[in-house]
Amino acid sequence: MPATNAPTGYSRLQIALHWLVFALIAQQYLFKDAMSAAWDRITDGLETGFDPLVLAHVAGGALVLIFALWRLTLRARRGVPPAIEASKVQGILAKLTHVGLYALMILMPLSGSVAWFGGVEAAAQGHNVLKIVLLALVALHVVGALYHQFVLRDGTLARMRRAQD
Protein backbone atom coordinates (compact mmCIF):
# COMPACT_ATOMS: atom_id res chain seq x y z
CA MET A 1 0.00 0.00 0.00
CA PRO A 2 1.46 3.41 -0.94
CA ALA A 3 2.53 5.81 1.78
CA THR A 4 0.15 8.64 2.70
CA ASN A 5 2.45 11.16 1.04
CA ALA A 6 3.12 9.06 -2.06
CA PRO A 7 6.13 10.25 -4.07
CA THR A 8 5.61 11.56 -7.59
CA GLY A 9 8.13 9.08 -9.01
CA TYR A 10 10.45 6.21 -8.21
CA SER A 11 13.86 6.72 -6.62
CA ARG A 12 17.16 5.89 -8.34
CA LEU A 13 17.47 2.83 -6.12
CA GLN A 14 13.95 1.62 -6.94
CA ILE A 15 14.63 2.01 -10.66
CA ALA A 16 18.03 0.31 -10.44
CA LEU A 17 16.59 -2.64 -8.51
CA HIS A 18 13.72 -2.96 -11.02
CA TRP A 19 16.12 -3.25 -13.97
CA LEU A 20 18.59 -5.45 -12.08
CA VAL A 21 15.78 -7.90 -11.27
CA PHE A 22 14.65 -7.80 -14.90
CA ALA A 23 18.19 -8.62 -16.07
CA LEU A 24 18.55 -11.40 -13.49
CA ILE A 25 15.24 -12.99 -14.45
CA ALA A 26 16.20 -12.83 -18.13
CA GLN A 27 19.56 -14.42 -17.25
CA GLN A 28 17.77 -17.20 -15.36
CA TYR A 29 15.76 -18.08 -18.48
CA LEU A 30 18.64 -17.75 -20.93
CA PHE A 31 21.01 -20.02 -18.99
CA LYS A 32 18.52 -22.48 -17.45
CA ASP A 33 19.69 -25.43 -19.58
CA ALA A 34 22.84 -25.95 -17.49
CA MET A 35 20.75 -26.13 -14.32
CA SER A 36 18.25 -28.50 -15.94
CA ALA A 37 21.06 -30.77 -17.13
CA ALA A 38 22.66 -30.77 -13.67
CA TRP A 39 19.29 -31.57 -12.05
CA ASP A 40 18.73 -34.44 -14.50
CA ARG A 41 22.17 -35.87 -13.65
CA ILE A 42 21.46 -35.68 -9.93
CA THR A 43 18.03 -37.30 -10.23
CA ASP A 44 19.64 -40.08 -12.31
CA GLY A 45 22.04 -40.69 -9.43
CA LEU A 46 25.03 -39.31 -11.29
CA GLU A 47 27.68 -36.89 -10.10
CA THR A 48 27.62 -33.34 -11.36
CA GLY A 49 30.84 -31.39 -11.52
CA PHE A 50 31.25 -27.67 -11.02
CA ASP A 51 29.53 -25.61 -13.69
CA PRO A 52 29.73 -21.80 -13.55
CA LEU A 53 26.31 -21.55 -15.24
CA VAL A 54 24.75 -23.63 -12.46
CA LEU A 55 26.40 -21.36 -9.90
CA ALA A 56 25.12 -18.32 -11.83
CA HIS A 57 21.58 -19.76 -11.73
CA VAL A 58 21.72 -20.41 -7.98
CA ALA A 59 23.32 -17.02 -7.24
CA GLY A 60 20.95 -15.25 -9.65
CA GLY A 61 17.94 -16.77 -7.91
CA ALA A 62 19.27 -15.72 -4.52
CA LEU A 63 19.78 -12.17 -5.81
CA VAL A 64 16.25 -12.04 -7.25
CA LEU A 65 14.91 -12.98 -3.82
CA ILE A 66 17.10 -10.46 -1.99
CA PHE A 67 16.30 -7.66 -4.44
CA ALA A 68 12.55 -8.44 -4.36
CA LEU A 69 12.54 -8.22 -0.56
CA TRP A 70 14.59 -5.01 -0.75
CA ARG A 71 12.11 -3.57 -3.28
CA LEU A 72 9.17 -4.44 -1.03
CA THR A 73 10.94 -2.77 1.90
CA LEU A 74 11.50 0.38 -0.17
CA ARG A 75 7.84 0.37 -1.23
CA ALA A 76 6.78 0.16 2.40
CA ARG A 77 9.19 2.87 3.62
CA ARG A 78 9.30 5.33 0.72
CA GLY A 79 6.10 4.52 -1.11
CA VAL A 80 5.49 4.48 -4.82
CA PRO A 81 3.86 6.97 -7.15
CA PRO A 82 0.13 6.53 -7.71
CA ALA A 83 -0.79 4.21 -10.57
CA ILE A 84 -1.70 5.70 -13.91
CA GLU A 85 -4.87 3.83 -14.80
CA ALA A 86 -6.61 3.86 -18.16
CA SER A 87 -9.62 2.05 -16.67
CA LYS A 88 -10.68 0.33 -13.45
CA VAL A 89 -10.20 -3.11 -15.07
CA GLN A 90 -6.68 -2.18 -16.20
CA GLY A 91 -5.90 -0.90 -12.70
CA ILE A 92 -7.00 -4.20 -11.15
CA LEU A 93 -5.06 -6.18 -13.77
CA ALA A 94 -1.93 -4.10 -13.11
CA LYS A 95 -2.25 -4.60 -9.34
CA LEU A 96 -2.73 -8.37 -9.70
CA THR A 97 0.21 -8.57 -12.10
CA HIS A 98 2.51 -6.75 -9.68
CA VAL A 99 1.39 -8.85 -6.70
CA GLY A 100 1.96 -11.97 -8.79
CA LEU A 101 5.40 -10.83 -9.90
CA TYR A 102 6.51 -10.11 -6.34
CA ALA A 103 5.08 -13.42 -5.11
CA LEU A 104 6.93 -15.31 -7.82
CA MET A 105 10.19 -13.42 -7.25
CA ILE A 106 10.01 -14.86 -3.73
CA LEU A 107 8.51 -18.31 -4.43
CA MET A 108 10.76 -19.18 -7.39
CA PRO A 109 14.06 -18.87 -5.48
CA LEU A 110 12.55 -20.66 -2.47
CA SER A 111 11.23 -23.58 -4.51
CA GLY A 112 14.49 -23.76 -6.46
CA SER A 113 16.51 -23.81 -3.24
CA VAL A 114 14.36 -26.54 -1.71
CA ALA A 115 14.74 -28.58 -4.90
CA TRP A 116 18.48 -28.02 -5.37
CA PHE A 117 19.73 -28.09 -1.79
CA GLY A 118 17.06 -30.41 -0.39
CA GLY A 119 16.69 -32.73 -3.36
CA VAL A 120 12.90 -32.38 -3.25
CA GLU A 121 11.43 -33.44 -6.61
CA ALA A 122 8.03 -31.85 -5.85
CA ALA A 123 9.76 -28.49 -5.31
CA ALA A 124 11.52 -28.87 -8.68
CA GLN A 125 8.21 -29.61 -10.38
CA GLY A 126 6.59 -26.62 -8.67
CA HIS A 127 9.55 -24.48 -9.71
CA ASN A 128 8.98 -25.47 -13.34
CA VAL A 129 5.27 -24.64 -13.16
CA LEU A 130 6.00 -21.29 -11.49
CA LYS A 131 8.54 -20.57 -14.26
CA ILE A 132 5.75 -20.60 -16.84
CA VAL A 133 3.52 -18.36 -14.72
CA LEU A 134 6.41 -15.93 -14.15
CA LEU A 135 7.16 -15.76 -17.85
CA ALA A 136 3.48 -15.04 -18.58
CA LEU A 137 3.34 -12.27 -15.96
CA VAL A 138 6.58 -10.70 -17.18
CA ALA A 139 5.17 -10.72 -20.73
CA LEU A 140 1.91 -9.14 -19.49
CA HIS A 141 3.91 -6.51 -17.57
CA VAL A 142 5.96 -5.64 -20.67
CA VAL A 143 2.88 -5.51 -22.91
CA GLY A 144 1.16 -3.25 -20.37
CA ALA A 145 4.16 -0.92 -20.22
CA LEU A 146 4.34 -0.75 -24.02
CA TYR A 147 0.58 -0.14 -24.23
CA HIS A 148 0.94 2.79 -21.83
CA GLN A 149 3.96 4.09 -23.76
CA PHE A 150 2.73 3.84 -27.34
CA VAL A 151 -1.07 3.75 -27.17
CA LEU A 152 -2.00 5.80 -24.12
CA ARG A 153 1.19 7.93 -24.17
CA ASP A 154 0.70 8.64 -20.47
CA GLY A 155 4.31 8.63 -19.23
CA THR A 156 4.09 5.40 -17.25
CA LEU A 157 7.25 3.93 -18.77
CA ALA A 158 9.20 7.16 -18.25
CA ARG A 159 8.75 6.70 -14.48
CA MET A 160 11.03 3.65 -14.65
CA ARG A 161 13.68 5.58 -16.54
CA ARG A 162 13.86 8.91 -14.71
CA ALA A 163 14.34 9.04 -10.96
CA GLN A 164 12.42 11.41 -8.70
CA ASP A 165 14.68 11.43 -5.63
Side-chain angles (χ1 to χ4, degrees):
M1 178 121 342
T4 319
N5 297 328
T8 57
Y10 294 99
S11 70
R12 281 181 181 80
L13 181 56
Q14 286 172 308
I15 292 170
L17 289 171
H18 173 273
W19 292 112
L20 280 170
V21 168
F22 173 78
L24 285 167
I25 290 172
Q27 179 264 162
Q28 296 298 79
Y29 277 97
L30 292 173
F31 301 116
K32 70 179 178 7
D33 292 342
M35 180 55 91
S36 295
W39 178 257
D40 289 343
R41 287 186 58 78
I42 288 170
T43 57
D44 290 342
L46 303 171
E47 287 291 318
T48 181
F50 174 77
D51 184 336
L53 292 178
V54 170
L55 177 60
H57 191 86
V58 172
L63 286 172
V64 167
L65 175 62
I66 290 165
F67 291 165
L69 294 173
W70 193 358
R71 290 178 67 188
L72 287 170
T73 300
L74 287 171
R75 287 178 73 88
R77 288 188 181 158
R78 182 185 186 276
V80 294
I84 299 173
E85 297 178 13
S87 72
K88 185 144 182 90
V89 171
Q90 287 175 355
I92 291 168
L93 186 58
K95 182 79 166 171
L96 290 173
T97 301
H98 283 95
V99 168
L101 285 169
Y102 277 105
L104 290 168
M105 287 186 287
I106 293 167
L107 292 173
M108 289 284 302
L110 293 177
S111 64
S113 294
V114 169
W116 186 251
F117 296 110
V120 179
E121 180 69 33
Q125 291 171 353
H127 190 73
N128 276 329
V129 170
L130 293 176
K131 167 181 69 177
I132 296 164
V133 177
L134 178 61
L135 188 57
L137 287 179
V138 167
L140 183 61
H141 184 66
V142 169
V143 167
L146 293 174
Y147 174 75
H148 277 273
Q149 178 69 22
F150 296 111
V151 175
L152 299 179
R153 300 178 189 266
D154 61 12
T156 297
L157 191 59
R159 298 188 320 171
M160 263 309 145
R161 292 192 320 251
R162 244 176 289 131
Q164 298 280 311
D165 285 320

